[in-house]
Amino acid sequence: MKRKIAAIFAADIAGYSRLVAEDEEETLRRLASYREVIDDFIAKANGRIFNTAGDAVLAEFPSAVDAVRCAIDIQESLRTRNMAYPPSRQMSFRIGITIGDVVERDGDLLGDGVNIAARLEGLAEVGGICVSRAVHEQVANKLSVQFADIGAQEVKNIPTPVHAYMIAMRREDGTYATPQLKKVAKAQPAPNWMWPLVVGVVSVVAIGVCGFLYFTKLETTQLSSTAAAPSPSPAAALSPSPTPAMATKAPMPSPVPTSTPTQTAALTPPPAPTPSPPAASGGKIAVDAVPYIGERQRAYLSNEYSAAGDYKAYALNIAGFNGSALNQPNEEAARNAALDQCQKRADAAQSPRRCELYAVGNKVVYSHGSPPMPPQPWVRHDTMTERPFVSKDFPMLRDQARTRVENIYAPAAKSRSVALGPAGQYFMVLGAASVDETTRRSLESCGAIAGSACMIVAVDDNFVVPIPTLLKPNGFFHAPTNPSIVADARDEVVRKLGDGMGWNAVAVGTAGRPGLGLKAADEQTAVNGALADCVKHDSDCHVIAIGPFTVGPTN
């Protein structure tokens, strides 16, 4: 055995047991894939994995800088991979890092340094990193990262508090999320003069309880000797026998709805009858009208949520995160619990969108209504225009957004789609249950962000609308209101464009008289046809639209 100072890195999956319980094979398969990523980053940062157990990874690094830089790279890489899965199936790690004196034995490391790293990992946010003060001092002036001081933390099996810092993780838009402080309030010891009083009170209570039990037993014995035991009252017959599980406080709803609502039973005798809570107004929620959510959540609302008691609530946000609370003690508790669960899920995925209440009881309280949607069909497959998805050709996006689409959308699981807004807004839904679900959800979220109807541009591995390459797309083409076309010709353009199949192009001249190239087999043919048709009625013709897009010069 030998001693040494090392930077110790500890990582663990948040909610791993739940993920395994829901789908063991898929979870283990994805864990192996994520471990390849983690192992590769650790090796590149000159680290060494010295122990693993299930979903946990312990590694050592020659410096704190290497360890922190590696942890940030891992979290950012895994965050991108998680975008391919719905929130309930995302596999996120917590990471803790410290510098400590450790003992090496047969390649394994032991000692307080290892234990403290594991405790720091438990303090970290989901998808976040927590480091000790020693690590903070080593890296604060060497890496461009932001820290939040969460103070001294009392952690299990470590005799002295551990001063810890959270690392602010970068969001998708390049900004940094502020870590949530987790400072543990240390209980203040009772003053010395309180102890005699406490002992006296406890003694009096104990004497009273013993006396009560004695006389109760005596009375029961006397009754049993003079009469047969009565049959249970109806109330007692309907009450379940108390068990340890029933005696506990009802837990908050889990991220994945359970098959039956959580119930509790009191160990004390039933209280006097009280008025029932008012019946839920509005009947069942119109589940098909709830936006942004998948079919699994709709089934949950139709079944578990609808069948639950009145003190319940459901929250969501436009990015598709949601939260629910069932069988709460009152309406306020239901509201707060649903919002809290939804926001925690959104924050864990670093979503900038805030959660709002959708329903309280069975009454819809969401004030925004339905998002703007285009007419159906949302996707029309056309062999003449459909082609493989290539991120560099995605229209109307800035370079940063196009890179994000390339990194997240292209490798994601099916079913997936991207909806595009008229001013370049976009929204992706990845790993949905079906094409219908992914297109609906991406259009709903994109429409809510854009404030107007969006268009499905890509589904799975293909562009499903004509994507211009000869000219630069710069907006959506809407013939009935396009100002470049003379007003008395717009209705005719709409009629001739018809179903929009194949490649179509529109050109206009100085007088605004339109020329059309319709149902061509390729983009160039449509453009040539539109220009040729335009010069029959106008002069100085130029193309203003190709497919569903308005277009301009490429430079």
Side-chain angles (χ1 to χ4, degrees):
M1 294 192 299
K2 68 176 182 178
R3 287 189 173 275
K4 63 180 179 179
I5 301 295
I8 305 299
F9 165 111
D12 203 352
I13 296 175
Y16 180 70
S17 298
R18 175 184 62 79
L19 293 169
V20 171
E22 289 176 1
D23 191 336
E24 182 178 17
E25 289 188 3
E26 189 269 345
T27 299
L28 295 176
R29 183 168 56 251
R30 191 139 53 94
L31 172 60
S33 172
Y34 282 26
R35 275 294 309 276
E36 289 182 3
V37 174
I38 293 171
D39 294 2
D40 185 52
F41 275 116
I42 290 174
K44 288 179 179 178
N46 301 314
R48 178 184 74 90
I49 295 174
F50 62 84
N51 203 337
T52 61
D55 59 315
V57 177
L58 292 169
E60 64 166 326
F61 290 83
S63 78
V65 173
D66 290 336
V68 171
R69 184 185 288 119
C70 176
I72 293 171
D73 290 343
I74 287 172
Q75 295 292 38
E76 291 186 348
S77 177
L78 296 185
R79 182 190 66 192
T80 300
R81 289 172 175 263
N82 271 331
M83 293 299 293
Y85 299 91
S88 63
R89 292 300 303 164
Q90 291 183 358
M91 184 178 288
S92 300
F93 282 76
R94 294 186 176 97
I95 297 176
I97 303 172
T98 191
I99 299 173
D101 184 56
V102 292
V103 175
E104 184 172 5
R105 184 175 63 187
D106 298 328
D108 196 6
L109 298 184
L110 307 169
D112 280 349
V114 178
N115 296 335
I116 291 172
R119 299 296 178 252
L120 289 168
E121 173 264 308
L123 293 174
E125 295 178 307
V126 176
I129 304 165
C130 185
V131 304
S132 66
R133 180 163 54 187
V135 172
H136 173 261
E137 292 171 351
Q138 289 289 322
V139 305
N141 297 321
K142 298 181 178 68
L143 295 177
S144 298
V145 295
Q146 301 176 27
F147 294 88
D149 186 350
I150 63 172
Q153 302 287 317
E154 293 188 0
V155 294
K156 183 179 178 182
N157 294 335
I158 303 298
T160 57
V162 178
H163 199 114
Y165 293 78
M166 296 285 193
I167 292 180
M169 300 303 295
R170 187 166 52 195
R171 297 189 182 99
E172 296 159 9
D173 61 2
T175 62
Y176 286 85
T178 302
Q180 299 298 309
L181 301 186
K182 295 187 177 182
K183 190 164 185 175
V184 179
K186 186 175 181 180
Q188 295 296 323
N192 291 337
W193 60 264
M194 287 289 291
W195 286 110
L197 177 61
V198 172
V199 172
V201 171
V202 171
S203 300
V204 171
V205 171
I207 293 170
V209 172
C210 291
F212 173 77
L213 292 176
Y214 173 79
F215 287 109
T216 300
K217 182 176 180 181
L218 178 61
E219 181 181 353
T220 304
T221 304
Q222 291 172 345
L223 286 173
S224 62
S225 64
T226 58
S231 59
S233 66
L238 292 174
S239 300
S241 301
T243 65
M246 291 179 176
T248 60
K249 185 178 179 181
M252 292 293 289
S254 60
V256 177
T258 54
S259 58
T260 57
T262 303
Q263 298 179 344
T264 59
L267 291 176
T268 56
T274 57
S276 300
S281 58
K284 291 185 177 181
I285 294 175
V287 174
D288 289 343
V290 182
Y292 318 128
I293 63 173
E295 296 308 315
R296 184 177 179 185
Q297 273 296 305
R298 287 189 169 181
Y300 165 71
L301 286 173
S302 294
N303 300 313
E304 286 91 337
Y305 187 89
S306 294
D310 293 301
Y311 291 139
K312 60 188 177 184
Y314 191 80
L316 50 69
N317 74 6
I318 63 176
F321 296 97
N322 55 78
S324 65
L326 309 180
N327 299 327
Q328 297 295 300
N330 53 57
E331 185 178 290
E332 186 66 19
R335 288 170 173 265
N336 293 338
L339 280 171
D340 184 60
Q341 185 187 76
C342 178
Q343 197 59 53
K344 283 181 177 177
R345 292 175 177 174
D347 291 345
Q350 299 184 344
S351 168
R353 309 295 173 183
R354 303 302 299 174
C355 289
E356 298 181 63
L357 283 171
Y358 184 82
V360 177
N362 287 330
K363 182 180 180 180
V364 175
V365 297
Y366 193 62
S367 60
H368 304 296
S370 299
M373 296 285 283
Q376 290 191 345
W378 296 325
V379 176
R380 288 188 294 183
H381 294 285
D382 183 349
T383 56
M384 284 192 289
T385 59
E386 195 166 313
R387 65 184 178 89
F389 175 85
V390 179
S391 58
K392 69 179 181 62
D393 294 335
F394 200 103
M396 298 171 55
L397 294 186
R398 296 179 179 179
D399 290 342
Q400 182 180 7
R402 189 172 286 109
T403 299
R404 182 170 179 266
V405 169
E406 179 179 4
N407 292 339
I408 296 175
Y409 179 82
K414 298 179 180 179
S415 295
R416 64 186 188 274
S417 65
V418 190
L420 178 68
Q425 308 92 342
Y426 71 104
F427 196 88
M428 299 178 279
V429 171
L430 315 171
S434 65
V435 170
D436 286 344
E437 178 182 317
T438 189
T439 54
R440 171 184 60 79
R441 289 178 59 195
S442 56
L443 285 170
E444 287 172 341
S445 296
C446 179
I449 294 168
S452 59
C454 294
M455 170 174 58
I456 295 294
V457 173
V459 175
D460 290 334
D461 299 322
N462 294 312
F463 285 124
V464 292
V465 294
I467 305 296
T469 57
L470 300 177
L471 295 168
K472 184 179 180 179
N474 52 32
F476 287 3
F477 177 63
H478 188 239
T481 59
N482 190 282
S484 298
I485 304 173
V486 66
D488 62 7
R490 293 172 188 167
D491 289 345
E492 182 69 7
V493 172
V494 172
R495 185 186 66 79
K496 287 185 176 180
L497 287 174
D499 61 13
M501 303 301 281
W503 284 92
N504 299 295
V506 181
V508 295
T510 54
R513 309 311 302 187
L516 304 178
L518 302 175
K519 298 184 178 180
D522 58 69
E523 182 183 5
Q524 188 66 65
T525 301
V527 167
N528 293 344
L531 291 171
D533 187 39
C534 177
V535 297
K536 297 177 183 177
H537 317 290
D538 212 332
S539 59
D540 294 330
C541 292
H542 63 282
V543 174
I544 61 168
I546 299 174
F549 299 99
T550 57
V551 293
T554 54
N555 295 327

